[in-house]
Amino acid sequence: MHQIDAEAVERLVPMSAAIDALEAVLAAGLDPAAEPDRGVVDVPGGQLLTMPSATASYAGVKVATVTPGNTDRGLPRVQGLYLLLDGETHTPLALLDGIALTSLRTPAVSGVAVGRLAVPEADRLVVFGTGPQAWGHVEAVRAVRPGLRHVDVVARHAGRVAEFVARCRAVGLSASAATADAVARADVVCCCTTAREPLFDGSLLPDHAMVAAVGSHEPDAREVDAALVGRATVVAESRSVAARECGDLVLAAAEGAFDMAGLHTLDALVRGEVRAVAGRPRLFKSAGMAWEDLAVAAAAYERWAAAG
């Protein structure tokens, strides 16, 4: 069994390739609604997650931990490994770095949605957060909207914001520290935080703007408010996952601002069955699903095998 470390994952599967891999499995007919539920076990100091998935070609499972206290220890909040198996014989093929895989596939999924929901001329991005997911979302938006020109960075730690701004500038983007009201000038907004309460006033968002919210997968936590959910065209990976894990939508529905029957799915978006409504913002709410890990892990393995 081969080991594919974090550096190899990043080298083998650039962001555009990860986005293509995810679109390909959806276009081929994968049904996210048929996926097994995420296994969540509370353990001392955090959670243990198991995320299995299978196709005709591959099977696999990610084992991940979420440990909030690790931030103060200088360790990653999320850690894990991915085991990739042959789809027919179930022979182990590769063990991949789970952090690198998650850091890639989550923004790549958002990239699939941004590519279909953001206005073609989008050039201004607001990012909430400064961690790996925030940077991954800058890369994902650039991959599908190469006209991206400016990034506003919103986070609590001034030093990390300054570092993130410098990182954006180093790749040729204009960037600056900002506050939450920067969304009023945004074409795309990416919410990549551990917040449990809305990050900004949804009424400020322009009618043409698109939001990707990826930071939570709990029914009582949200990064966007009911005002935004109620006025947006809303897309999620799966209706059942959204009803169980997406607090952004669950809480808006409980407050009477949103009807879950109006929720669209990512696979329908990829098939061209969902269109953004003129005069309404667009919201993609992601909780993260096992099929996404499998698609990107398989792409990494195939590229590794092809390289000999």
Side-chain angles (χ1 to χ4, degrees):
M1 183 172 60
H2 306 287
Q3 293 193 25
I4 302 177
D5 63 16
E7 182 180 347
V9 171
E10 294 172 6
R11 183 182 70 254
L12 291 166
V13 192
M15 183 60 68
S16 59
I19 292 170
D20 289 346
L22 292 162
E23 290 184 334
V25 297
L26 291 176
L30 182 138
D31 181 7
E35 287 285 290
D37 293 345
R38 183 202 320 264
V40 181
V41 178
D42 291 327
V43 296
Q47 293 178 321
L48 177 65
L49 312 179
T50 56
M51 300 177 66
S53 184
T55 65
S57 301
Y58 297 100
V61 60
K62 183 169 74 176
V63 177
T65 55
V66 181
T67 314
N70 274 0
T71 303
D72 295 332
R73 302 182 181 106
L75 295 171
R77 180 175 178 270
V78 179
Q79 301 179 92
L81 293 169
Y82 194 88
L83 176 62
L84 182 69
L85 312 170
D86 179 82
E88 182 177 358
T89 66
H90 304 145
T91 301
L93 298 174
L95 192 65
L96 295 90
D97 184 283
I99 298 176
L101 188 63
T102 303
S103 295
L104 176 58
R105 64 82 155 149
T106 301
V109 173
S110 293
V112 174
V114 173
R116 286 166 170 74
L117 293 175
V119 293
E121 65 274 17
D123 70 355
R124 194 172 189 97
L125 168 66
V126 175
V127 175
F128 287 86
T130 56
Q133 285 299 334
W135 180 251
H137 276 74
V138 173
E139 292 187 309
V141 175
R142 289 185 82 195
V144 296
R145 290 294 180 270
L148 180 67
R149 176 184 57 83
H150 180 80
V151 181
D152 283 313
V153 186
V154 186
R156 292 175 293 181
H157 193 290
R160 292 173 187 159
V161 169
E163 292 173 359
F164 199 94
V165 166
R167 191 175 185 183
C168 290
R169 291 174 177 171
V171 297
L173 295 168
S174 165
S176 59
T179 56
D181 60 2
V183 300
R185 303 180 299 278
D187 297 314
V188 180
V189 177
C190 294
C191 302
C192 313
T193 74
T194 58
R196 303 189 69 84
E197 298 294 335
L199 296 166
F200 61 91
D201 179 353
S203 67
L204 295 176
L205 194 75
D207 289 342
H208 75 276
M210 186 263 174
V211 177
V214 307
S216 69
H217 56 85
E218 298 172 83
D220 59 348
R222 58 182 169 183
E223 295 177 292
V224 301
D225 62 15
L228 170 58
V229 178
R231 59 188 280 248
T233 298
V234 184
V235 178
E237 292 139 313
S238 156
R239 289 188 177 88
S240 61
V241 169
R244 185 174 62 249
E245 300 183 9
C246 295
D248 307 70
L249 310 184
V250 171
L251 295 172
E255 294 166 10
F258 179 64
D259 184 350
M260 294 290 276
L263 177 65
H264 303 286
T265 59
L266 186 62
D267 57 324
L269 182 68
V270 168
R271 292 194 301 266
E273 299 168 8
V274 179
R275 302 290 182 189
V277 178
R280 297 179 63 182
R282 306 92 191 261
L283 170 64
F284 174 59
K285 171 55 196 170
S286 173
M289 294 186 69
W291 65 267
E292 301 158 2
D293 295 302
L294 179 59
V296 177
Y301 173 74
E302 289 175 358
R303 286 169 171 245
W304 175 87

